[in-house]
Amino acid sequence: MSSNIIKEGKFSYVEAGEGQPIIVLHGLMGALSNFDGVLNYFPNKGYKILIPELPIYKLPLLKTNVKNISKFLKEFMIYKNIDNAILLGNSLGGHIALYFTKLNLKNVSGLVLAGSSGLYEKSLGDTYPKRGNYEYIKKKTEEVFYDPKIATKEVVDEVFSSVNDRSRVIKTLAIAKSAIRHNMAKDLPKMDIPVCLIWGKNDSVTPPEVAEDFERLLPDANLYWIDKCGHAPMMEHPDEFNKILENWLKERKL
C-alpha cells in the first residue's frame, strides 16, 4: 500500500478506480492498509476509492481537533474536484465523516460508519503511563480485535511507536478530548441521508449499544452486525464487510 501513496502538495493519498467516489477515513491509530480489502474490491464495482492520510499528527497542537481535520477533508475534496462523495469512516474516521456531514450535508450522498466514535468510545488515554511496556501495548492492541491474531507485529509496532512519541501522545490526547467535546447526538437527527452502520458484535471500544444509538438517532440508517468481530470489521472480516456494503450500495442506488 505505502508504495502506491500519491503525494501532491499537502495531500498524501491512495486512489483506485473510476466512478462514484468513496472517501475512506482512517482512525486514530489506523494505517491506510487497514482498508486494503475495500481498496482491492470496490474499484472493480464502479467506484473510485480515495484514502487520504489525515493530518492527525501534522497539525499544530491547538488545531489538532475534529473540526480542523474535517476542514482538511473539505480541502481534499475541493483539490480532487469532488462535489459529492460517500464517506466511509472507522473509529475517529467515522466521527470526522459525521462532523463534515453536519457542516456540508449537500456534499455527502451517503455515510458508512464502522465502530465510529461521535457518541461514546473508550479512550486509550488512561493506558499511557505504561507506554514503554511493549507487552502491555500488544495486549491493549489485541483487545481492539475479537481475534488477537489480527494485531500483527506490524500493527503493534505502529501503535507502540505512536505511544512512545511524546508529540504524538499529546496530539492523541488532544484529539480524544476534542472527540468528547464534539458529541454528535444532537446533530444526528438532522442528517437525513442514507447511512450504513457495519458493527462488530464484540466491539469493546464502541460497544454494540453505541451502534443501536446511532441507528435510533439517524433518520435513515441501516444497521448490520458482524459476528466474532471487534472494532475494525473491515480488517477482521473484509469479505463480509465488502458484501454487506456492496448490497447496501445497490439497495440504496448509490
Side-chain angles (χ1 to χ4, degrees):
M1 163 79 83
S2 56
S3 59
N4 301 327
I5 290 178
I6 300 161
K7 293 185 187 290
E8 292 170 348
K10 68 193 281 188
F11 303 110
S12 298
Y13 62 98
V14 174
E15 180 179 332
E18 288 301 328
Q20 164 70 51
I22 299 178
I23 300 177
V24 178
L25 304 166
H26 61 80
L28 193 55
M29 301 285 179
L32 304 196
S33 58
N34 293 6
F35 294 92
D36 277 353
V38 170
L39 184 71
N40 294 331
Y41 189 80
F42 283 96
N44 301 321
K45 305 287 178 182
Y47 294 92
K48 182 199 284 269
I49 300 294
L50 298 118
I51 315 179
E53 278 186 353
L54 299 177
I56 295 168
Y57 300 119
K58 291 180 180 167
L59 290 170
L61 183 58
L62 289 174
K63 292 195 170 180
T64 303
N65 55 43
V66 169
K67 183 179 174 184
N68 279 299
I69 297 173
S70 164
K71 276 188 188 167
F72 172 88
L73 173 57
K74 179 81 172 173
E75 289 166 9
F76 178 70
M77 285 178 71
I78 291 167
Y79 175 74
K80 291 298 293 177
N81 204 19
I82 295 169
D83 186 51
N84 203 272
I86 296 162
L87 302 181
L88 188 170
N90 171 239
S91 200
L92 176 71
H95 201 157
I96 304 298
L98 287 164
Y99 193 83
F100 178 90
T101 302
K102 170 188 170 178
L103 301 178
N104 306 279
L105 193 62
K106 69 180 191 306
N107 302 115
V108 183
S109 49
L111 281 172
V112 183
L113 305 175
S116 177
S117 63
L119 289 176
Y120 162 80
E121 66 280 345
K122 286 183 185 166
S123 167
L124 271 173
D126 59 348
T127 68
Y128 281 120
K130 293 191 182 177
R131 63 180 180 266
N133 184 331
Y134 187 86
E135 281 308 308
Y136 180 77
I137 297 299
K138 181 172 183 278
K139 178 173 161 287
K140 279 289 168 192
T141 306
E142 286 173 349
E143 284 172 8
V144 170
F145 306 101
Y146 176 82
D147 177 2
K149 290 199 288 293
I150 302 290
T152 59
K153 185 173 185 305
E154 189 184 12
V155 171
V156 177
D157 285 351
E158 175 69 23
V159 176
F160 186 72
S161 73
S162 284
V163 299
N164 280 285
D165 177 325
R166 191 165 180 277
S167 163
R168 282 191 169 209
V169 170
I170 291 166
K171 288 183 176 180
T172 298
L173 293 173
I175 201 90
K177 283 179 185 162
S178 160
I180 293 162
R181 273 201 316 276
H182 290 102
N183 186 287
M184 305 299 298
K186 288 184 180 141
D187 303 300
L188 297 179
K190 298 171 197 149
M191 296 184 191
D192 196 3
I193 55 169
V195 182
C196 178
L197 302 162
I198 306 178
W199 230 263
K201 269 198 176 164
N202 312 89
D203 188 338
S204 61
V205 182
T206 46
E209 57 268 26
V210 177
E212 287 161 357
D213 282 348
F214 270 118
E215 185 188 29
R216 182 172 52 79
L217 290 166
L218 286 157
D220 189 12
N222 304 106
L223 173 55
Y224 303 92
W225 298 106
I226 298 184
D227 209 4
K228 297 185 177 172
C229 180
H231 188 53
M234 70 288 165
M235 287 176 78
E236 281 203 77
H237 296 278
D239 295 342
E240 195 174 344
F241 182 91
N242 288 343
K243 211 74 212 150
I244 289 169
L245 180 51
E246 184 185 10
N247 289 338
W248 181 81
L249 290 167
K250 275 183 188 161
E251 277 168 27
R252 294 310 197 104
K253 298 183 170 56
L254 289 171

